[in-house]
């Protein structure tokens, strides 16, 4: 069974530093997403990406955030200058195989801690 | 706006009994409703989903029902087992691909 993978599993950084979270979506999927989950809360949408551009983004996804698909397999989320409130689990998801665009499969997440 | 309400927030059932989790959504245009199971420290795992043209779907011990008129959908787990203990999230898509999640239900199966 193909899976979404994410690296690193944990990331600790100082406030103001840049972080890059990496994801390898399921092969042949066409739609890619980032979500985040603050400890004990629900999963929140950040951004969706299709055909090498952002298709939708939430209010959370401000100018400090960016996404990129640098090659045919990786999908990255960059936070330019981290804030304390960016501490959360970040999940990558992908969808869009065999016509089932809506069915999103999630990776195991990256736990980001900003000190 | 796009909103999904989920109840209860916590649920404890005896092993072997059934568990039911309910969600309501705000936008009648919603057409896709997945359920995810999240174990501690892991990502959400899709367990079942239903599209708006179907009223019920079953997969072994798990079933989902959808009432479009009332704008609510429910997850039913029968013959619960200890490994069913987890946090369960409902979700819905509205006019786009993004998922809007409910607030989660922590299900505990009591042996």
């Amino acid at each position: 069974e193909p899976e979404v993978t994410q690296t690193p599993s944990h990331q600790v950084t100082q406030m103001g530093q840049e972080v890059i979270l990496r994801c390898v979506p399921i092969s042949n999927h066409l739609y890619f997403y980032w979500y985040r989950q603050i400890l004990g809360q629900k999963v929140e949408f950040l951004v969706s990406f299709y055909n090498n551009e952002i298709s939708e983004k939430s209010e959370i996804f401000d100018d400090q955030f960016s996404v990129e698909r640098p090659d045919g397999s990786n999908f990255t989320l960059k936070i330019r200058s981290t804030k304390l409130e960016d501490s959360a689990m970040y999940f990558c998801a992908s969808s869009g195989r065999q016509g089932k665009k809506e069915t999103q499969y999630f990776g195991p997440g990256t736990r980001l801690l900003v000190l | 706006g796009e909103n999904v309400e989920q109840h209860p927030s916590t649920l404890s059932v005896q092993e072997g009994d059934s568990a039911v989790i309910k969600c309501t959504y705000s936008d009648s245009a919603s057409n896709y409703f997945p359920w995810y199971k999240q174990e501690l420290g892991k990502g959400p795992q899709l367990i079942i989903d239903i599209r708006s043209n179907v009223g019920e779907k079953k997969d072994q011990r798990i079933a989902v029902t959808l009432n479009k008129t009332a704008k609510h959908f429910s997850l039913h787990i029968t013959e619960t087992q200890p490994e069913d203990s987890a946090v369960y999230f409902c979700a819905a898509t509205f006019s786009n691909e993004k998922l809007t999640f409910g607030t989660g239900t922590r299900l505990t199966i009591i042996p």
Side-chain angles (χ1 to χ4, degrees), chain A residues 7-58:
Chain A
T7 55
S9 58
H10 295 79
Q11 175 89 47
V12 181
T13 189
Q14 294 290 326
M15 188 170 58
Q17 295 296 304
E18 174 184 287
V19 294
I20 298 177
L21 310 183
R22 292 182 167 78
C23 168
V24 178
I26 293 173
S27 177
N28 296 327
H29 276 188
L30 302 174
Y31 300 84
F32 314 112
Y33 314 83
W34 283 100
Y35 291 81
R36 80 170 186 189
Q37 185 179 33
I38 294 171
L39 187 64
Q41 298 185 22
K42 67 178 180 179
V43 179
E44 299 174 290
F45 170 80
L46 291 178
V47 64
S48 58
F49 191 87
Y50 170 72
N51 199 25
N52 284 321
E53 61 183 25
I54 291 173
S55 49
E56 186 173 1
K57 59 184 181 179
S58 73

Side-chain angles (χ1 to χ4, degrees), chain B residues 20-23 25 33 35 48-51 54-58 62-68 71-76:
Chain B
V20 180
I21 303 170
K22 299 181 179 181
C23 288
Y25 57 97
F33 309 92
W35 285 90
I48 196 167
D49 56 11
I50 191 167
R51 289 172 173 81
V54 177
E56 183 174 358
K57 183 177 178 181
K58 191 172 180 180
I62 295 172
V64 57
T65 58
L66 172 64
N67 183 326
K68 285 207 72 177
K71 292 189 286 186
H72 68 69
F73 57 113
S74 301
L75 177 72
H76 304 253

Side-chain angles (χ1 to χ4, degrees), chain A:
Chain A
E1 184 77 26
E3 292 181 336
V4 176
T5 59
Q6 290 184 242
T7 55
S9 58
H10 295 79
Q11 175 89 47
V12 181
T13 189
Q14 294 290 326
M15 188 170 58
Q17 295 296 304
E18 174 184 287
V19 294
I20 298 177
L21 310 183
R22 292 182 167 78
C23 168
V24 178
I26 293 173
S27 177
N28 296 327
H29 276 188
L30 302 174
Y31 300 84
F32 314 112
Y33 314 83
W34 283 100
Y35 291 81
R36 80 170 186 189
Q37 185 179 33
I38 294 171
L39 187 64
Q41 298 185 22
K42 67 178 180 179
V43 179
E44 299 174 290
F45 170 80
L46 291 178
V47 64
S48 58
F49 191 87
Y50 170 72
N51 199 25
N52 284 321
E53 61 183 25
I54 291 173
S55 49
E56 186 173 1
K57 59 184 181 179
S58 73
E59 292 177 353
I60 303 167
F61 195 88
D62 61 22
D63 292 344
Q64 294 300 314
F65 290 86
S66 62
V67 289
E68 191 178 28
R69 189 157 162 80
D71 52 42
S73 60
N74 290 283
F75 180 51
T76 62
L77 174 69
K78 181 192 289 185
I79 309 175
R80 289 189 185 82
S81 180
T82 49
K83 306 182 188 71
L84 296 177
E85 54 265 36
D86 293 328
S87 295
M89 281 288 285
Y90 288 80
F91 295 107
C92 173
S94 68
S95 71
R97 182 179 58 183
Q98 296 180 347
K100 290 188 176 181
K101 185 178 77 171
E102 309 99 337
T103 305
Q104 296 183 24
Y105 297 90
F106 283 73
T110 294
R111 183 174 297 281
L112 176 65
L113 178 60
V114 182
L115 301 177

